[in-house]
Amino acid sequence: DHVRRREQALAIRALCRRHDAAFVVNDDLALALEVGADGVHLGGSDLPCAEARRQAGTGLLIGVSCYDSVSSARAAIAAGASYVAFGSAFPSPTKPDAVSATLPLYRRAAAELGVPVVAIGGISKRNIRQVYDTGVRYCAVISGINRAPDPVAAFQQLETILSPFPPGKQAKPA
């Protein structure tokens, strides 16, 4: 199983390098370090952020799931998190029982935390602008792409929806 995961991670890393995209391994610091990933994302039951930062040093991005808690995000940042994630932004078929994070929480987090904020959960072309309008500039989209009849077209639609808005500028509702 580890050999297969390592091979998959190396293939994904190569693909990300070709497309100038960051490669973040979910839940597995050892694998992230082994394959030279750009980062690791830690959930609530994974290695604590401070320990991951101690093991990884300063060169690795470390993201932490904070669910619906700005105070947890502040603690993660103090422990060395590079970014924090909240969600589920909307009901999600990937994790139907996920904790819900509200749009006002995203607005507060984007304005106050001083690190990148990632929205996750139920994000699609129908609602990504709502997230973007909070000031959040990073979205993890799973089912909105993977469950689309044409995943490449779904990704391109998401890019098109956000393309008129330069980084750091708040989108205005249409």
Side-chain angles (χ1 to χ4, degrees), residues 113-170:
L113 294 178
V115 300
V117 174
V118 178
I120 188 167
I123 299 168
S124 69
K125 66 182 180 183
R126 291 181 311 282
N127 57 29
I128 195 166
R129 283 287 298 276
Q130 291 176 55
V131 173
Y132 200 87
D133 287 345
T134 69
V136 168
R137 296 297 176 259
Y138 301 92
C139 294
V141 181
I142 300 169
S143 60
I145 293 174
N146 290 343
R147 293 184 180 211
D150 183 345
V152 172
F155 176 79
Q156 291 169 337
Q157 286 176 330
L158 290 170
E159 276 190 318
T160 300
I161 290 167
L162 300 180
S163 65
F165 305 102
K169 299 292 182 188
Q170 185 146 334

Side-chain angles (χ1 to χ4, degrees), residues 8-80:
Q8 290 172 338
L10 288 169
I12 294 168
R13 185 192 74 182
L15 183 63
C16 287
R17 296 288 187 272
R18 280 198 306 273
H19 294 279
D20 196 28
F23 172 46
V24 178
V25 172
N26 194 36
D27 299 335
D28 192 337
L29 176 63
L31 180 63
L33 294 172
E34 181 181 350
V35 301
D38 299 301
V40 65
H41 186 85
L42 304 171
S45 61
D46 296 327
L47 187 67
C49 181
E51 178 59 21
R53 181 56 71 204
R54 188 190 68 72
Q55 290 182 32
T58 59
L60 192 74
L61 293 171
I62 297 178
V64 177
S65 291
C66 299
Y67 309 100
D68 66 346
S69 172
V70 173
S71 62
S72 292
R74 290 186 196 288
I77 294 163

Side-chain angles (χ1 to χ4, degrees), residues 62-108:
I62 297 178
V64 177
S65 291
C66 299
Y67 309 100
D68 66 346
S69 172
V70 173
S71 62
S72 292
R74 290 186 196 288
I77 294 163
S82 310
Y83 71 88
V84 292
F86 296 94
S88 185
F90 304 99
S92 170
T94 305
K95 290 186 178 178
D97 297 327
V99 172
S100 179
T102 65
L103 293 174
L105 178 140
Y106 285 111
R107 182 170 283 106
R108 178 178 170 207

